[in-house]
Amino acid sequence: MAFILLLIMSFIVVTGCWDRVELNDRAFIIATGIDKDQESGKMVTTLQVIVPEKIDTATKKGGGENAAVQIVSAKGSTVYETLQYIKFELMKKPYFQHNRILVIGEQAAKEGVTPYLNFFMRTREGPERSIILVSKGNASEILRWQSDVKKIPADYIEGLVHGEDIFSMTSTENIHEFMVKISGNTTSPYTSGIEIRKNEESGKEEAKVTETAAFKKDKLVGWLNLEESKGMQWINNEFGTGIIETGYPEMNNENIILKMIKSRTELKPKLKDGKMIMTIEVKGEGNIEELKGNVALNSQKVIGNLEKNISTEVKNEIENCLKQAQKTLKTDIFGFGEAIHSKYPKEWEKIEGHWDDYFPGMDVEVNVKIKIRNTGMLIEPI
């Protein structure tokens, strides 16, 4: 209900505009999907439209007459053309100011996202802060999925991305951030992948944020799995106050949960014998939140061994991510180019034109130092 009041208030203050459209003549878009139709070669736009009068009476699951959202779709050569067909179907003008999510289908992403993002950057309704997700399969499947938890499916999906940052193992960018990277020459964009999976226990279909979609300029070139995505968060200084689940050295059955209280990553390029080398420096501190097993944290030796083990695990995650990005995907999603450009502008001028070829063979050193600040009230195991 608060969301609807916000929508209404946002229009009460807007009067006297020459192109003003009455509130009842607007279709409020909450999520947008873009796909590429393989048979015709045309694009398909799918919209999740809020039905304000059904918010209070809608059920959390299922569509039909009582659904809180309406799903509409159209095919055309451009985003603008598809929206004209949708406008005719709805008898209302699609309004994107409150659009939260843009889902791009995997095939459309592989062929290049600039034509789609260009439209959203140009529209005066300004949904450039909408988060971008790449679907494994068609984006329309994501928008048509119904949540058991939320009346508005887009609310649930947004919660997957932003709701619990400490458990997030992927990172997401919005339209504006994406376009800035595409327009530059130093860093390629990335964002979270999403798919619909069947829960093995309940048999129900669930939306899951799974892997990270990696781009080269505006084209999807591949994926990082969850472990590689975690490594990317460390490299890009995005891990923040996340959770590390680890074990004590040589005791595989131990389960230790470390909650980071701070972490920082610095990219330090250096020129050695005419060759550019990148050093990744990671430092962090955390508290032990949970300990299962028979490890007694009663000595500096035990804590030191645990710190060393955690640091090694983080280093391995980073190195696995580097291998995938450099050797397989061959795309700089870390900002190495930007770091070199900032510190060695003259050297960057020499390699900028062939950065895509230079990056995969670049030597990278990884240094990680994770410290345990607090072990909790219990020192001895129970």
Side-chain angles (χ1 to χ4, degrees):
M1 191 62 186
F3 175 75
I4 302 304
L5 290 174
L6 178 61
L7 288 177
I8 296 173
M9 289 298 295
S10 67
F11 292 106
I12 290 177
V13 298
V14 179
T15 58
C17 298
W18 67 270
D19 60 347
R20 177 169 164 265
V21 179
E22 295 294 338
L23 185 62
N24 290 336
D25 294 329
R26 295 184 188 269
F28 298 108
I29 313 304
I30 194 71
T32 303
I34 301 291
D35 287 307
K36 192 68 176 288
D37 182 68
Q38 293 302 293
E39 293 184 3
S40 65
K42 292 187 175 183
M43 62 163 296
V44 180
T45 299
T46 305
L47 302 181
Q48 197 172 101
V49 187
I50 290 289
V51 185
E53 62 272 20
K54 298 291 179 66
I55 294 293
D56 289 334
T57 59
T59 59
K60 293 179 180 178
K61 176 69 176 179
E65 296 181 356
N66 291 322
V69 296
Q70 178 182 359
I71 307 299
V72 290
S73 184
K75 185 188 302 181
S77 299
T78 64
V79 177
Y80 182 81
E81 181 182 348
T82 61
L83 294 181
Q84 299 314 300
Y85 294 135
I86 290 174
K87 179 181 178 181
F88 180 78
E89 178 180 345
L90 294 174
M91 299 302 291
K92 293 182 178 183
K93 179 184 177 181
Y95 187 71
F96 289 93
Q97 185 173 349
H98 300 283
N99 188 88
R100 301 180 190 176
I101 299 168
L102 172 62
V103 184
I104 301 177
E106 188 170 9
Q107 187 58 43
K110 288 179 178 179
E111 296 183 19
V113 300
T114 297
Y116 317 127
L117 301 189
N118 183 58
F119 170 83
F120 291 104
M121 289 294 290
R122 289 179 180 274
T123 178
R124 64 169 56 95
E125 293 157 15
E128 70 271 8
R129 301 300 174 185
S130 300
I131 58 174
I132 295 179
L133 299 173
V134 177
S135 65
K136 287 204 158 185
N138 290 329
S140 60
E141 296 176 4
I142 307 299
L143 267 70
R144 295 181 186 280
W145 172 79
Q146 294 291 325
S147 169
D148 280 337
V149 181
K150 298 283 188 179
K151 295 180 180 180
I152 301 173
D155 286 346
Y156 181 84
I157 294 173
E158 188 178 35
L160 288 178
V161 178
H162 293 312
E164 295 291 347
D165 290 338
I166 61 171
F167 296 110
S168 176
M169 296 179 70
T170 63
S171 297
T172 304
E173 295 186 328
N174 61 39
I175 294 176
H176 175 77
E177 292 166 335
F178 225 82
M179 287 298 288
V180 167
K181 288 185 177 180
I182 289 174
S183 302
N185 296 317
T186 59
T187 310
S188 291
Y190 55 85
T191 197
S192 295
I194 187 169
E195 61 181 310
I196 304 300
R197 289 182 176 179
K198 180 171 287 188
N199 186 300
E200 294 182 0
E201 294 183 1
S202 66
K204 296 180 179 179
E205 291 187 333
E206 298 176 345
K208 294 289 184 181
V209 173
T210 52
E211 302 181 352
T212 297
F215 286 71
K216 180 177 287 187
K217 298 297 284 186
D218 77 327
K219 293 181 173 61
L220 174 70
V221 292
W223 301 87
L224 303 176
N225 63 31
L226 288 180
E227 182 182 357
E228 293 161 349
S229 298
K230 198 172 178 182
M232 186 196 71
Q233 287 186 325
W234 282 111
I235 298 172
N236 290 342
N237 197 32
E238 294 174 341
F239 193 81
T241 57
I243 296 291
I244 297 176
E245 186 171 348
T246 185
Y248 191 75
E250 301 178 0
M251 297 181 71
N252 296 328
N253 62 334
E254 299 304 319
N255 191 358
I256 299 172
I257 303 297
L258 185 75
K259 171 70 166 62
M260 299 301 295
I261 53 177
K262 65 178 180 180
S263 62
R264 179 174 176 79
T265 301
E266 292 184 87
L267 302 181
K268 298 181 178 181
K270 60 182 177 182
L271 193 60
K272 185 177 182 180
D273 299 328
K275 188 177 182 181
M276 194 65 67
I277 300 173
M278 183 65 68
T279 300
I280 301 174
E281 295 276 0
V282 178
K283 294 181 180 180
E285 296 181 7
N287 296 331
I288 292 180
E289 298 293 330
E290 185 175 354
L291 172 63
K292 297 179 182 178
N294 297 314
V295 177
L297 304 176
N298 56 3
S299 72
Q300 283 300 119
K301 181 180 179 180
V302 172
I303 294 175
N305 287 339
L306 184 55
E307 290 174 339
K308 183 178 180 180
N309 191 57
I310 294 172
S311 298
T312 298
E313 289 187 7
V314 172
K315 182 178 180 179
N316 289 339
E317 291 172 349
I318 291 173
E319 290 178 341
N320 288 337
C321 177
L322 286 169
K323 182 179 179 181
Q324 175 72 352
Q326 286 189 287
K327 306 306 179 184
T328 303
L329 305 179
K330 302 182 187 301
T331 181
D332 177 15
I333 52 176
F334 312 120
F336 284 7
E338 181 61 35
I340 295 171
H341 176 241
S342 178
K343 187 172 182 179
Y344 298 101
K346 291 184 178 180
E347 291 298 321
W348 174 249
E349 290 180 4
K350 298 176 184 179
I351 62 178
E352 180 181 6
H354 59 282
W355 179 238
D356 285 346
D357 298 321
Y358 193 97
F359 169 76
M362 189 176 180
D363 290 337
V364 183
E365 298 174 356
V366 181
N367 300 319
V368 179
K369 189 175 183 179
I370 304 297
K371 303 293 290 183
I372 297 174
R373 175 179 286 187
N374 197 316
T375 60
M377 298 297 292
L378 290 176
I379 296 178
E380 298 290 339
I382 299 176

